[in-house]
Amino acid sequence: MTMLADEPVYKVLLKMSLPMMISFFIQAMYNIVDSMFVARICEDALTAVSLAFPMQQIVTAIAVGTSVGVSAVWARCMGQGDRARASEAIRTMTAISLMFSLVFIVLGAFASGPIFYHQTGDGEIAAMGTVYLRINWILSAGAIFGKYYERLLVSAGRATLAMVSMLFGAIFNLIFDPLLIFGLGPFPVMGIAGAAYATVGGQILAAAVSLIFNIKYNGAVKKDLFRISFKKSSAAAILRVGLPSIITMGLSSVTGFFINQILLLYSTTATAVYGIWMKLQNFCFMPAFGLNNGMVPILAYNYGNRHMDRVKKTVNISVYGITALMTLLTVIFELIPGTVLGMFNAGEYMREIGAAALRFCVLSLPFGAASLILSTAMQALDHSVFSFVINLLRQCILLIGCFWLISKFIPGQQFIWAAVPAAEIVTFVIAVILNAKFKKDLEIS
């Protein structure tokens, strides 16, 4: 722990953040690879995957939130020397993971079709989307247990092993996407179903590898991983920590669903373009997510020891560093929107509206990343209400509001994309105002 207090802040940030950045980049590759290969089936298939993305994010939100919860509870109990409660947390988390896996089996079997046919009247898109979502939901246990086992490795100081397990899954997805979609070699042509099977197959493999790593290298949990029990107190503790993350990530699903409904009023191609942007944004934000994970323990430790100069320096380096990186990415993507769209096999009409869309949307990257860092800093330093306000505005209220207002009052499809930078800029201004109040509360000049 002396590293957190004594080493130069930028060095500690790099050590703490880099493995997580790589892990998040690997995770982001799942959706990008899927969309790139699916786009080569047809544009309707890409639209179907884009409409399914918010529904897939519900699984991710629950998996990430509960895994964050159990890792925090387990680590705290181990730190207190209470191995009995630590064991209870692991056994209860296994039960929770099984329960959510069963819930998504039911949803996949019975809700996938109604959800898609409610979103679009295009029967072909709805049929393809139903197949894709059904497979992802019914076989979601790989994603749910994968996040759980990977987080246990991180909590035990084995972040590199967590990264390796995710890499196994990503490589599987990359290899089997074209094999299953197009029926290469001994495999039958499966189309969009092949993309779904490649995704869940990668998730299941990553979960299996991370389970093996826990058994081999994380002796504190291996005896409890195959024992199932449900303790209300442990479940409550896990969800109390994990629920904010579930809500925050769940907002993205709600937002994506409503924005897709607005864009469908223009064209199904607009929805496909928005799907490309969401995956591109997710990929670009991976450094920010990794920086967040590395920043939190540094802030918490130094705040606890009242080393406020290191707290201030950590926040400043993080904000300025991520803003500079996102500005560079903005310049790059402003110059090559056609190249990005070409990766997704864009036709002439998609290129026409997509180039303008991406040029508008990428303007949001520096503002969005800075708001994300400020929000995380506030959460780590006992200002979780401020953090929740920023996330609610950024991921839901302002974004949906800007899309709705522009669609109602400004004619022309090319202007609807201004909603993305507009929402991020307004959020950033509010985040700066709240940051000033937050620093005053902490007596940071």
Side-chain angles (χ1 to χ4, degrees):
M1 300 297 281
T2 56
M3 174 183 71
L4 300 179
D6 299 330
E7 285 193 20
V9 169
Y10 74 91
K11 286 187 178 180
V12 183
L13 266 175
L14 193 61
K15 286 181 182 178
M16 300 285 284
S17 303
L18 193 57
M20 295 309 299
M21 287 183 187
I22 296 171
S23 296
F24 284 127
F25 269 124
I26 294 169
Q27 182 180 330
M29 287 302 297
Y30 275 95
N31 290 313
I32 289 180
V33 168
D34 249 13
S35 295
M36 287 171 59
F37 284 114
V38 164
R40 280 154 177 76
I41 301 173
C42 64
E43 186 180 303
D44 283 351
L46 179 60
T47 302
V49 170
S50 298
L51 290 172
F53 185 65
M55 304 301 111
Q56 288 177 273
Q57 288 297 91
I58 296 173
V59 176
T60 303
I62 290 171
V64 170
T66 53
S67 64
V68 166
V70 73
S71 65
V73 172
W74 178 78
R76 183 169 64 243
C77 292
M78 291 295 288
Q80 294 169 347
D82 192 344
R83 299 185 72 89
R85 285 184 59 211
S87 294
E88 276 185 10
I90 297 299
R91 298 176 190 183
T92 299
M93 181 60 192
T94 301
I96 291 172
S97 298
L98 285 172
M99 282 188 261
F100 277 122
S101 298
L102 290 172
V103 167
F104 282 108
I105 288 173
V106 174
L107 288 174
F110 298 106
S112 303
I115 286 172
F116 257 93
Y117 283 96
H118 174 75
Q119 289 190 84
T120 176
D122 188 310
E124 188 173 353
I125 292 174
M128 286 190 289
T130 298
V131 169
Y132 185 80
L133 181 59
R134 180 175 290 139
I135 294 168
N136 272 279
W137 270 359
I138 288 176
L139 298 175
S140 63
I144 293 170
F145 279 92
K147 290 288 180 291
Y148 166 29
Y149 297 147
E150 288 159 13
R151 197 73 194 188
L152 287 180
L153 289 170
V154 173
S155 298
R158 302 281 187 170
T160 302
L161 292 179
M163 180 184 71
V164 170
S165 65
M166 293 175 68
L167 186 60
F168 269 93
I171 292 173
F172 180 96
N173 189 39
L174 181 63
I175 293 172
F176 278 87
D177 248 329
L179 295 179
L180 298 181
I181 291 172
F182 305 113
L184 303 179
F187 300 97
V189 177
M190 300 179 71
I192 199 167
Y197 282 122
T199 296
V200 297
Q203 292 167 348
I204 292 169
L205 177 60
V209 172
S210 57
L211 173 60
I212 292 168
F213 283 158
N214 271 292
I215 293 170
K216 190 169 182 179
Y217 299 107
N218 193 1
V221 302
K222 69 178 183 180
K223 290 183 179 179
D224 297 305
L225 287 173
F226 298 102
R227 298 177 182 176
I228 304 171
S229 63
F230 186 86
K231 295 286 185 180
K232 288 184 179 180
S233 57
S234 293
I238 290 168
L239 293 175
R240 188 161 52 245
V241 176
L243 195 58
S245 294
I246 294 173
I247 293 172
T248 299
M249 294 189 69
L251 287 174
S252 298
S253 297
V254 174
T255 301
F257 179 85
F258 282 109
I259 290 174
N260 280 334
Q261 304 316 296
I262 294 171
L263 293 175
L264 283 170
L265 299 175
Y266 294 94
S267 66
T268 56
T269 301
T271 305
V273 168
Y274 185 68
I276 293 173
W277 160 244
M278 290 303 295
K279 292 172 177 64
L280 180 63
Q281 181 195 49
N282 195 39
F283 186 78
C284 290
F285 269 24
M286 289 304 114
F289 295 146
L291 194 57
N292 273 348
N293 278 261
M295 178 179 69
V296 167
I298 302 171
L299 290 175
Y301 182 85
N302 286 287
Y303 177 56
N305 286 279
R306 303 307 295 173
H307 295 158
M308 304 310 288
D309 57 327
R310 289 180 68 82
V311 170
K312 177 183 177 182
K313 191 174 290 186
T314 300
V315 175
N316 287 345
I317 290 175
S318 299
V319 171
Y320 296 145
I322 204 64
T323 302
L325 176 59
M326 291 300 154
T327 300
L328 176 62
L329 289 176
T330 298
V331 172
I332 292 171
F333 286 118
E334 284 287 348
L335 296 174
I336 58 166
T339 302
V340 174
L341 292 165
M343 293 167 59
F344 296 91
N345 202 36
E348 184 178 345
Y349 180 56
M350 182 181 284
R351 285 177 180 271
E352 180 185 336
I353 68 169
L358 291 183
R359 285 198 168 106
F360 265 122
C361 291
V362 296
L363 294 173
S364 68
L365 290 175
F367 302 100
S371 297
L372 183 65
I373 295 294
L374 290 174
S375 167
T376 302
M378 293 174 192
Q379 185 174 8
L381 299 172
D382 293 335
H383 280 64
S384 56
V385 173
F386 285 7
S387 176
F388 181 73
V389 168
I390 293 170
N391 286 325
L392 185 64
L393 291 173
R394 179 178 169 267
Q395 295 187 54
C396 190
I397 294 174
L398 286 175
L399 191 56
I400 294 175
C402 287
F403 266 99
W404 182 82
L405 286 171
I406 293 175
S407 70
K408 288 293 182 183
F409 299 108
I410 302 179
Q413 181 173 320
Q414 68 271 29
F415 297 112
I416 190 68
W417 308 105
V420 175
E424 294 285 26
I425 290 169
V426 174
T427 302
F428 174 70
V429 171
I430 294 170
V432 169
I433 294 170
L434 290 178
N435 183 58
K437 173 73 167 59
F438 148 76
K439 290 168 73 173
K440 184 178 179 182
D441 291 346
L442 294 179
E443 299 179 355
I444 301 176
S445 59

